[in-house]
Amino acid sequence: MIYPKIPLAQSIIEICHAKGVHDIIISPGSRNAPLTIGFTNNPKFACYSIADERCAAFFALGIAQQTKKPVAVVCTSGSALLNYYPALAEAFYSQIPFIVISADRPFEKIDIGDGQTIRQENVFINHSLYNANLTEEASEENDVFINEAINVAIARKGPVHINVPFEEPLYETTNKLSVDFSVTGLNITHSLVSVDDIIAYTTLWNYTTKILILVGECFPNSVEEEWLEKLASLPSVVVMTETTSNLHHPSFINTIDTLITPFSNADFLILQPRILVTFGGMIVSKRVKAFLRKYKPRHHWHIDEHRAYDTFGILTKHFKVEPNQFFKQFLPFVKDIGSHYKATFETIHIQRKVKHTEYLSKVPFCDLKAFESILSTLPAEIQLQISNSSAIRYAQLFDIDKSIEVFCNRGTSGIDGSTSTAIGAAVGSKKPTVLVTGDVGFLYDSNALWNNYIPKNFKIILINNGGGGIFRILPGHHETETFNRYFETSHCLTAEHLAKMYQLDYAIASDDNSLKKGLSKLYNQNDRPMILEVFTPTRENDKLLKDYFKALV
């Protein structure tokens, strides 16, 4: 086997293997040559070459999202490293294990005018869970830092940074290991809810007739069916699930915005919960956040092993356990008390569904109508990746088949890496994957298609409404030159030539009939990846969406 001659590079590579880091995403460069040589010549690693570091990082994030194992990204020195920051921040807030290994100049070369040199140490300090700043020589101290970084990424589910100084020569190799590296064990313990807390909080629960459970982003099948059934059986409990929660039950409310947008102040007061229980990742719905911030519950409990955000300004208890563990200990002591809370919500929810169907039966072709067709025709058992901005918000208005796994980068809610993440997720899951994305997000991440690993069964549905349509929905929209140029970023671009350049199949749709035909072609084409570009009317979408919410009453 071929090894890099530099002992420090050998230590990093061997410790990564010993700790189960398997997927390595490498961007080209010279300073990282010792790592590139070592990783790519070791058959124990799966290595990927992606030139654009921002795309490489989001691609890695997608793999880690699906495998739940840390993925390492490797880059050269200088500004290359900074391009990892958006994906690293997403990993931080989405709790995804992620390892950045950056090659660097020796310490004495920093800030003396040497090329491709910046201050790399601790560059991610605000969003990295651990920063290992290594010295040039292999040592026990460096081994401790490398081990600790990887341990933290796994145990605390987040990003870490290992900065590695290398001096030239960089390309020399050897056929023997020259280091005695050390590997420290990983100790992961799962917490329990204390007996005192069970007694105190179940007592409070059992005297409360209005309990709202709000579920953010969750991995599919992460909550056991037994607990979902128990929650669904309680008349005092309403469960609201986001599209990305991947939780399903007939009594759960999974189109939150459709339900609460038409509420009056009187409705909000009547339906204001006394206890709010949350678990899962970030919440998409701005409307439910506004509801709970204005009409605050008396108590807010969050269930998460690692972190609890005071999203609604009323957090009163953080249960530092996994949801399954919490429900296993907690729900056996919960009583079925008399309440009309759930029944009231169910009545409204049924009424909303009727109005929803009526409106969509007569609305002309637009973003809303396109999403109805797209989400109702998705094949079963696939993975659905959704980009941020308008796409995820439209998706929240529709039911999605429970066999479909849904993901979106909601940690930072950025548009910058949705396509790259989706491709990485397709590689990591090996499932047929559909990405639904908007035009601005797609164009912003168009280098994602500069990727030799796109699976043949990867599909992109691109909603092109000529700009950032979400800004037409948000308050403050006025039809002015400033709005069109600087907020909406109006354009006349299409994906046709990008598809041709990257050898993807391509089709277009601009009405109900062509969309139906395009979707049929998309799902039956498995010889190579494909883009279906759907053109919708720029200046009508926002009005039709606002009319939709009015029609729900």
Side-chain angles (χ1 to χ4, degrees), residues 382-449:
I382 67 162
Q383 178 187 138
L384 173 63
Q385 293 274 338
I386 306 175
S387 73
N388 275 304
S389 206
S390 294
I392 186 61
R393 287 178 169 81
Y394 273 110
Q396 295 262 105
L397 305 177
F398 298 92
D399 294 328
I400 295 176
D401 187 282
K402 66 179 183 180
S403 72
I404 295 171
E405 301 177 348
V406 184
F407 297 90
C408 178
N409 283 348
R410 290 307 297 178
T412 63
S413 307
I415 65 167
D416 36 7
S418 295
T419 308
S420 297
T421 301
I423 296 170
V427 171
S429 71
K430 298 180 174 58
K431 281 192 166 190
T433 299
V434 174
L435 167 67
V436 178
T437 182
D439 50 330
V440 175
F442 173 81
L443 293 168
Y444 196 92
D445 193 29
S446 61
N447 264 3
L449 303 180

Side-chain angles (χ1 to χ4, degrees), residues 367 389-390 438-441 443 463-472 484 487-493 538:
D367 281 349
S389 206
S390 294
D439 50 330
V440 175
L443 293 168
I463 311 296
N464 190 338
N465 53 26
I470 191 170
F471 291 102
R472 291 180 168 270
N484 292 335
F487 289 91
E488 187 182 35
T489 56
S490 300
H491 66 84
C492 298
L493 303 173
T538 303

